Amino acid sequence: MRKNTVFKNDQGRQEILTMYDAALLGCGVGIKQRVCKTSFGDTYMVEAGEENEDILVLLHGASSNSTSWISDFHVYAQKYKVIAVDIIGEPGKSAETRLSYETMDYALWLHEVFDAMQIKKAHIVGLSQGGWLAVRFAGCFPERVNKMVLLSPAGIVRTAGSFIFKAIFYSLFGKAGRKKINEIILGEQSVDPKVIEFMDLMQDHVNARMDKEYIFQDEELENLTMPVLFIGGRRDVIRSTEQISKRLGGILPDLKTIIDENKGHVLVDTSEEIVNFLQN
C-alpha cells in the first residue's frame, strides 16, 4: 500500500474538498454522509433515498469522487437506497491509501464496506476505473451483486496508444496541457460547464496513478454471471467501445449493450437507461 499520494499539495486538497461540499449542498436531494472503518482505511460515502432493501452502489472513475454522481441522485433515489462510495486512494474523503491493481485488495476492501454497511446484495454501477472495480468485486464475490452496469469500463481492453501518447505529450505543458487532455477526452460532445470545471480541478491538483494497466483474463470475466449492462460512447478516445462490446459479448452470458453514437468517454444523462435495465 502507498499512502498520502493522492493530492499534489494541501491547498489543492482543500480546493477539491470545498467543491465537494458545495456540490452536496446544491444537489437538491436529501443526503446523508457516512464513514465506515475498514482494514484498508476509513471509507466515506454519500447516501440518498429512503431505507430500502433494494440498494444501488455507485463507483466513480479515477481522479474523481462521489460528487460525479450528483446530477443522477434524484433519479436513482426514487427507486433505490443509493450509496455513492469514495473509492479509497482517490481524491475524495476516504483514506488516501492506494491499493495494488494486481492483487484482490480492492475487492476485499469493497467487501468490507458491504459488510460494514450491512449490504447483503446490491446493484452496482461503475464508471471507467469504477467499472474496473465493479468487475473485480463481482468476479470475486458474485453472490453480493444483483445486476451490474459498466460505463466505459477499464480493464476489458487496453487503453488506446494514441491517447496515451497525447496525454504524456500534453502533460509536459503544465496547466494548459492538462486542460488540453480534458478537451481531448470530452471531444465535441456537449457537457455541463460544471463537469469541465470539475475535471480541470482534478487535473490541476491530483497525482494521477501511473500503475501498469490491469486487463482481466477471460476466466475472470467468466465469473460475471449476473445480468450486465454495458454503455459506451462511439467517440471514446481512451478505449475502443466496439472492442469492449465485442469482448464482453463473447464471454458474458447475460449482457445488454448500449452504444451512444454522440458520446465519448464521459457519459452523462444515462440514469434513466440504467434504471430501466435495473427495473426490468
Side-chain angles (χ1 to χ4, degrees), residues 216-229:
F216 293 104
Q217 299 296 313
D218 286 358
E219 53 267 28
E220 293 177 295
L221 296 176
E222 287 169 357
N223 291 330
L224 307 180
T225 55
M226 68 289 296
V228 176
L229 170 63

Side-chain angles (χ1 to χ4, degrees), residues 119-140:
I119 303 172
K120 294 181 179 179
K121 197 170 188 177
H123 303 297
I124 297 181
V125 178
L127 169 63
S128 194
Q129 197 63 32
W132 181 96
L133 173 56
V135 171
R136 174 65 93 191
F137 178 76
C140 292

